[in-house]
Amino acid sequence: MRYSLNSNRNILGNLVSRFTNKQVNTPAQGTDKMAKVSEKVTSVIDQSNYLSRDLSWLKFNERVLDQARDTKPPLSNRTLMERLKFLAISASNLDEFFMIRVGSLYNYLDYHKQRVDYSGLREVPFRKALYTTAHKFFREQQTVFSEQLLPLFAENGLQLLTHSSLTAEEQAEATNYFDRAIYPTLTPMLYDYTHTFPVLLAKVLIFGVVTQNPDDVEIKSLRAEDEDERQRLSFVQIPANLPRFLSFEREDTIVFIPIEEIVRHNIKKLYRNVEILSVNLFRITRNGDFTLDENDDDEVDFIDEVRQKIKNRRLGRVTRVEIETEGSAAGSQSTISSPWMLNLLKKRWEIDDLNIFESHTLLDFSSLWQIIGNPEFKDDMPLPHAPVQPLGVGRDKTDDIFELIKQRDLLLHHPYNNFEPVLQLLEQAAEDPNVLAIKITVYRLAKRSRITEALLKAAENGKHVSVLFEVKARFDEENNIREAQRLQKAGCFVIYGISRFKTHTKLLLVVRNEGSRVVRYAHMATGNYNEDTSKLYTDIGLLTTNETYTHDISEFFNVITGHSVPNEYQYLITAPRDMREQLLRLIRLEAENAKHGLPSGICIKVNSLEDKLVIDELYKASQAGVPIRLIVRSICCLRPHRAGLSENITVRSIVGDFLEHTRIYYFHNNGDPKVYGGSADVMVRSFDRRIESLFYLADPRVKQQSILILKYNLQDNVNAYELKEDGDFKKCEVPTTGEPFSIHQRFFEITEKEVMDARLFDGELKPAEVAQIEEEYQEGAERAIANI
């Protein structure tokens, strides 16, 4: 009898076993009891004024998957490769979710610690709710692939085949490839009373092979139920550094065969003269969530601790098992499931049916990147739009970045504006004999980073280079340690993060001697110093010589590299110092203005919104009459549109061709808006466990640019989803009489007039202020023309 998940049950019908009686019930009684449990769980979730962080994240991944399935205009002209890309992204996202978020939940469950989710559920029933929702999403991924994308393969010049569908010549070539390249890398690992259970790696394909016990005498003396003695279990891991697909060319078609098909067909070469009872392909995900203990020892011990934690991540508890089902579309006819093997794994890893995800098609959609990146389909991925120059800057690249920044504050909006000015500032500073010092915070770098090379060159040229390298940046730990040690060996002053806090702020300071005075050049940003992701993520960055900014940044560097404690900053808001308190104060001011009949309004664009104290203050502001517009890409724990609580709050999410990463905080301030950009989301970790900064946008023209960014995010009807009170999202649609408005296209085309006319709420900006902005812009444009 084949193992089954009973996946057709109602999603909430199998949630909270602890609410049920342990006495034996008839089927009818059991159904009634399950229905009551479902009602109770649903009621608990619906009554909460907050949405679950983890369930909200799964909703975000649904929106990512929606990009793969969406066939409505204007997204209907997406190519097959683009849609496969989004499916692959959703799979990588889900892997990380089970490593980090589900791993974090198991840190409570395994150590019997109490936890109450924002939904109001305790840790045990919440686990069931979370896994049930994840199962639904997993099935949806398979449906999108097998029913919507796979049928399009043939007309797009490719096929995904099993071994039996290959020609005789192709089968011979596949066998030769196995013998030559695959077979030498495979190692069967037996598990029985003489062999310990092997260490199985996470996120690699593994065959569980059940064989007959070769001792014929022993077999005949055993009863039928003594399966543990009659059968032997071994594992064959397919190395992750082997390509997932082998390809063949057939006239106008590229044929792909998964590597597991080749291994499965040749598996008997690993078990000669042994009867194979079943061959089961599966893949596991392990807990990858770890925190570092406070450590006052030297940096070598700290780095060693990080490295040890990385190793432990590879051995973490199993949180998910994806397993190929019998007769799956991706598997051959020889795929036979083994309930005995599955039960053994469940006991060994202390998991249950909820942890088992049955796949009827290809395992691990993230492997589709190999097909997407095949040179034959290069033309099926649209070329990225060329970046445009920031408004007020000449078309040609300036030879002197220092002169350009001294003229006025410059706001860069990536990827619509190039990241090149930031790289140019660092590279020019590294070679400029007048530059005295460079200070920078680093969270994530490109693999072949021009940032690192510029800092190495600066140190080589005798400049003082200070780098705060966050070696705890998740999944980038090893790369950051390696790059930090390169810089340290070159003579840079390197700080390997701060043990209790994760340094997430993005700041750069260049100190330059200009004759009679020393000028400091600063860059503050919402995104990483990573020239690769700057082409894919939307972010803003500010280049300035404004002494208020540069003084604040100098003070901030003194705090994080030494023991300075400044009384206050003029333009910076920092965490863990007082960021939450400052934001609460700004929200309360808007509520007070609304209560006194004055214009008010709040607009916040972030990746995630989760901090309860800020959410509660937003609820109070809504009840006071403040219109609140939130643009939240992924996690949102605030529940909008609830009567008496949040009627004046709207929440939308933008998911499309670029990953939304910009953070902007806008407060109406009775017609004189206060606008901030920065690295921090509205999350507990950002306020309490990270070094973050928000920077005030003081320049009127820069402020207008940020307001336009928010305004167009609120107008988008192509990539936008609106959050409803029940926690579901509704896709925004282009009005029948309207035109598509996609910010991922529109920001390449913005004009000076659009910037100057941008408004979010009534009563915003006074005429004199607009005139001042226009005058400054005109002067800047004239200087740029003169330079050209």
Side-chain angles (χ1 to χ4, degrees):
M1 183 177 68
R2 186 169 65 87
Y3 173 82
S4 173
L5 281 178
N6 291 326
S7 56
N8 292 327
R9 292 180 184 176
N10 181 282
I11 291 174
L12 292 175
N14 61 353
L15 286 185
V16 202
S17 59
R18 76 185 184 96
F19 290 135
T20 62
N21 249 322
K22 293 185 178 179
Q23 65 186 36
V24 177
N25 298 308
T26 64
Q29 289 174 329
T31 302
D32 291 343
K33 199 171 284 289
M34 291 299 288
K36 291 179 180 178
V37 171
S38 298
E39 291 176 7
K40 185 170 183 177
V41 170
T42 303
S43 176
V44 169
I45 293 174
D46 289 346
Q47 287 178 19
S48 175
N49 286 336
Y50 311 98
L51 300 173
S52 165
R53 168 179 174 167
D54 295 329
L55 294 176
S56 178
W57 186 92
L58 285 172
K59 292 291 183 184
F60 160 67
N61 214 25
E62 285 179 13
R63 300 193 291 280
V64 175
L65 181 62
D66 199 38
Q67 311 309 302
R69 74 157 69 87
D70 202 331
T71 56
K72 296 180 181 178
L75 299 181
S76 55
N77 56 1
R78 273 195 177 137
T79 67
L80 172 63
M81 293 301 149
E82 288 181 278
R83 296 171 68 182
L84 288 175
K85 175 189 74 173
F86 283 106
L87 177 60
I89 291 172
S90 77
S92 298
N93 286 348
L94 195 62
D95 282 349
E96 183 173 338
F97 179 75
F98 274 95
M99 290 176 67
I100 304 306
R101 293 308 308 159
V102 178
S104 174
L105 176 61
Y106 268 104
N107 289 340
Y108 286 86
L109 292 166
D110 289 342
Y111 295 98
H112 308 289
K113 295 190 292 186
Q114 292 187 350
R115 176 184 186 272
V116 180
D117 182 71
Y118 276 22
S119 63
L121 294 176
R122 299 295 295 267
E123 59 276 4
V124 173
F126 178 70
R127 171 185 172 269
K128 295 183 179 181
L130 188 64
Y131 269 91
T132 306
T133 306
H135 273 282
K136 179 176 179 290
F137 176 79
F138 186 75
R139 291 193 296 271
E140 193 63 31
Q141 281 182 310
Q142 296 179 73
T143 299
V144 169
F145 178 71
S146 58
E147 297 182 12
Q148 298 185 29
L149 300 180
L150 197 58
L152 301 178
F153 275 33
E155 65 189 67
N156 283 273
L158 68 153
Q159 287 184 291
L160 186 63
L161 299 181
T162 60
H163 190 278
S164 61
S165 301
L166 299 178
T167 65
E169 182 181 350
E170 289 167 345
Q171 287 182 352
E173 186 175 340
T175 299
N176 179 57
Y177 175 66
F178 175 85
D179 294 337
R180 175 175 45 86
I182 301 176
Y183 178 81
T185 69
L186 301 180
T187 303
M189 297 175 288
L190 181 63
Y191 171 59
D192 61 12
Y193 55 87
T194 62
H195 299 79
T196 60
F197 195 89
V199 175
L200 301 181
L201 299 180
K203 299 197 297 183
V204 301
L205 297 177
I206 305 169
F207 277 108
V209 182
V210 179
T211 55
Q212 185 76 53
N213 189 325
D215 190 341
D216 291 335
V217 177
E218 182 181 356
I219 293 173
K220 291 176 182 178
S221 66
L222 292 174
R223 293 173 298 173
E225 60 267 24
D226 291 333
E227 290 185 294
D228 288 346
E229 296 299 329
R230 291 189 301 106
Q231 301 179 114
R232 290 289 179 263
L233 175 62
S234 60
F235 303 97
V236 179
Q237 295 188 132
I238 302 178
N241 55 3
L242 289 176
R244 176 67 188 274
F245 302 99
L246 180 64
S247 61
F248 302 96
E249 293 189 14
R250 292 183 184 175
E251 297 181 354
D252 296 332
T253 301
I254 305 293
V255 170
F256 294 94
I257 176 172
I259 190 173
E260 61 268 26
E261 278 291 297
I262 301 173
V263 174
R264 192 193 331 262
H265 183 75
N266 292 276
I267 197 78
K268 284 186 176 293
K269 294 178 180 179
L270 298 170
Y271 297 90
R272 298 188 186 278
N273 303 315
V274 175
E275 182 183 356
I276 296 177
L277 302 178
S278 68
V279 179
N280 307 267
L281 183 70
F282 66 94
R283 179 175 182 266
I284 64 175
T285 314
R286 292 183 179 273
N287 182 357
D289 182 55
F290 69 76
T291 56
L292 294 172
D293 298 326
E294 282 191 50
N295 195 333
D296 294 327
D297 293 340
D298 59 29
E299 63 191 29
V300 175
D301 291 339
F302 180 64
I303 296 300
D304 288 344
E305 185 183 359
V306 173
R307 285 180 169 143
Q308 185 59 48
K309 293 290 187 179
I310 295 170
K311 291 180 181 179
N312 293 345
R313 179 185 283 159
R314 300 179 185 130
L315 305 175
R317 75 111 64 231
V318 173
T319 58
R320 176 182 58 160
V321 177
E322 301 163 83
I323 188 164
E324 197 176 74
T325 59
E326 184 176 346
S328 71
S332 66
Q333 293 180 352
S334 62
T335 302
I336 302 174
S337 295
S338 169
W340 174 76
M341 183 202 76
L342 201 55
N343 287 332
L344 188 151
L345 293 181
K346 286 193 287 187
K347 291 176 183 177
R348 177 73 194 184
W349 289 327
E350 297 180 347
I351 57 178
D352 58 24
D353 289 358
L354 285 173
N355 299 88
I356 309 299
F357 287 71
E358 290 186 338
S359 173
H360 64 263
T361 183
L362 187 72
L363 268 186
D364 183 20
F365 292 129
S366 66
S367 64
L368 292 170
W369 283 112
Q370 183 186 336
I371 295 176
I372 298 165
N374 189 290
E376 291 295 326
F377 307 115
K378 179 175 62 177
D379 295 336
D380 293 335
M381 291 295 286
L383 291 173
H385 195 295
V388 298
Q389 286 284 66
L391 288 177
V393 177
R395 294 182 181 179
D396 298 329
K397 178 181 176 181
T398 180
D399 292 330
D400 191 342
I401 190 68
F402 294 116
E403 282 301 314
L404 179 64
I405 299 173
K406 276 196 295 188
Q407 288 178 13
R408 68 149 167 269
D409 289 0
L410 183 64
L411 187 74
L412 302 176
H413 188 197
H414 311 300
Y416 315 105
N417 302 141
N418 209 320
F419 194 66
E420 196 63 29
V422 181
L423 298 172
Q424 186 182 356
L425 174 61
L426 267 171
E427 290 169 346
Q428 193 169 324
E431 301 284 1
D432 191 327
N434 294 320
V435 168
L436 305 175
I438 300 173
K439 302 181 180 184
I440 189 172
T441 61
V442 174
Y443 192 70
R444 298 189 195 277
L445 289 171
K447 293 302 180 185
R448 295 177 180 84
S449 173
R450 287 169 62 184
I451 300 288
T452 301
E453 295 306 315
L455 296 173
L456 288 169
K457 177 62 71 174
E460 180 184 316
N461 289 336
K463 305 181 192 310
H464 175 76
V465 179
S466 299
V467 186
L468 198 159
F469 238 113
E470 184 45 76
V471 296
K472 301 188 295 293
R474 185 175 290 139
F475 304 124
D476 277 339
E477 297 98 341
E478 290 173 295
N479 183 59
N480 282 8
I481 290 173
R482 183 172 55 252
E483 294 296 280
Q485 290 179 335
R486 285 182 65 201
L487 292 172
Q488 191 170 39
K489 289 177 182 177
C492 299
F493 173 51
V494 175
I495 299 175
Y496 291 90
I498 298 171
S499 61
R500 289 194 301 128
F501 303 105
K502 185 176 285 189
T503 305
H504 192 249
T505 183
K506 284 72 171 155
L507 297 174
L508 165 64
L509 191 69
V510 175
V511 184
R512 188 170 187 252
N513 184 359
E514 298 187 358
S516 60
R517 66 193 186 113
V518 171
V519 178
R520 291 174 290 189
Y521 296 81
H523 177 257
M524 300 157 280
T526 65
N528 296 306
Y529 288 108
N530 186 319
E531 58 268 33
D532 293 340
T533 57
S534 69
K535 301 171 186 175
L536 306 171
Y537 295 9
T538 73
D539 277 300
I540 60 170
L542 181 66
L543 289 164
T544 183
T545 57
N546 184 309
E547 291 188 358
T548 306
Y549 286 120
T550 58
H551 177 75
D552 278 358
I553 294 173
S554 293
E555 291 277 18
F556 192 45
F557 271 110
N558 290 339
V559 170
I560 58 182
T561 63
H563 295 285
S564 177
V565 184
N567 291 327
E568 62 180 357
Y569 300 104
Q570 296 299 311
Y571 283 171
L572 289 185
I573 299 176
T574 65
R577 177 185 168 130
D578 63 351
M579 184 177 291
R580 180 190 282 113
E581 289 71 23
Q582 293 278 16
L583 291 174
L584 293 176
R585 181 182 62 83
L586 290 165
I587 295 170
R588 288 170 187 144
L589 287 174
E590 293 303 313
E592 286 300 314
N593 285 342
K595 290 175 183 177
H596 290 86
L598 299 174
S600 63
I602 296 171
C603 186
I604 298 174
K605 175 176 170 58
V606 288
N607 298 338
S608 302
L609 192 153
E610 170 250 6
D611 185 80
K612 271 189 177 181
L613 292 176
V614 173
I615 291 174
D616 288 342
E617 209 61 51
L618 289 171
Y619 285 155
K620 293 176 185 176
S622 169
Q623 294 161 28
V626 179
I628 300 171
R629 308 289 175 258
L630 303 176
I631 307 155
V632 185
R633 185 194 76 212
S634 54
I635 298 166
C636 182
C637 299
L638 179 146
R639 191 187 291 274
H641 306 300
R642 172 155 286 187
L645 181 74
S646 55
E647 291 122 316
N648 290 318
I649 302 178
T650 65
V651 180
R652 60 169 28 207
S653 173
I654 306 290
V655 179
D657 292 333
F658 299 129
L659 180 76
E660 292 296 321
H661 198 251
T662 307
R663 289 111 166 172
I664 300 176
Y665 296 75
Y666 168 101
F667 303 92
H668 189 282
N669 195 38
N670 191 24
D672 182 17
K674 287 185 177 293
V675 186
Y676 296 83
S679 60
D681 289 310
V682 184
M683 301 191 74
V684 173
R685 70 182 187 191
S686 297
F687 298 149
D688 297 338
R689 299 192 297 273
R690 286 187 171 187
I691 295 175
E692 304 269 18
S693 63
L694 300 179
F695 49 91
Y696 175 61
L697 300 179
D699 181 86
R701 186 174 173 280
V702 167
K703 183 189 295 185
Q704 278 298 113
Q705 287 178 271
S706 66
I707 290 173
L708 180 68
I709 292 172
L710 295 175
K711 177 186 176 183
Y712 279 1
N713 271 262
L714 293 172
Q715 286 183 217
D716 190 299
N717 56 23
V718 173
N719 310 291
Y721 296 76
E722 295 283 348
L723 177 59
K724 300 187 296 182
E725 183 194 351
D726 62 3
D728 286 334
F729 279 83
K730 179 182 179 183
K731 183 81 166 69
C732 296
E733 297 184 358
V734 180
T736 52
T737 58
E739 294 292 327
F741 190 95
S742 170
I743 58 172
H744 294 160
Q745 292 296 324
R746 197 68 186 82
F747 279 130
F748 286 110
E749 306 162 356
I750 61 171
T751 64
E752 169 198 349
K753 186 175 188 306
E754 288 174 283
V755 171
M756 298 309 161
D757 291 344
R759 304 288 184 278
L760 286 176
F761 301 99
D762 293 337
E764 188 179 293
L765 285 179
K766 298 164 175 73
E769 194 171 3
V770 176
Q772 177 188 352
I773 295 172
E774 292 174 341
E775 181 181 348
E776 290 180 358
Y777 178 85
Q778 186 62 36
E779 290 174 358
E782 289 172 357
R783 283 196 300 269
I785 293 170
N787 289 337
I788 294 171

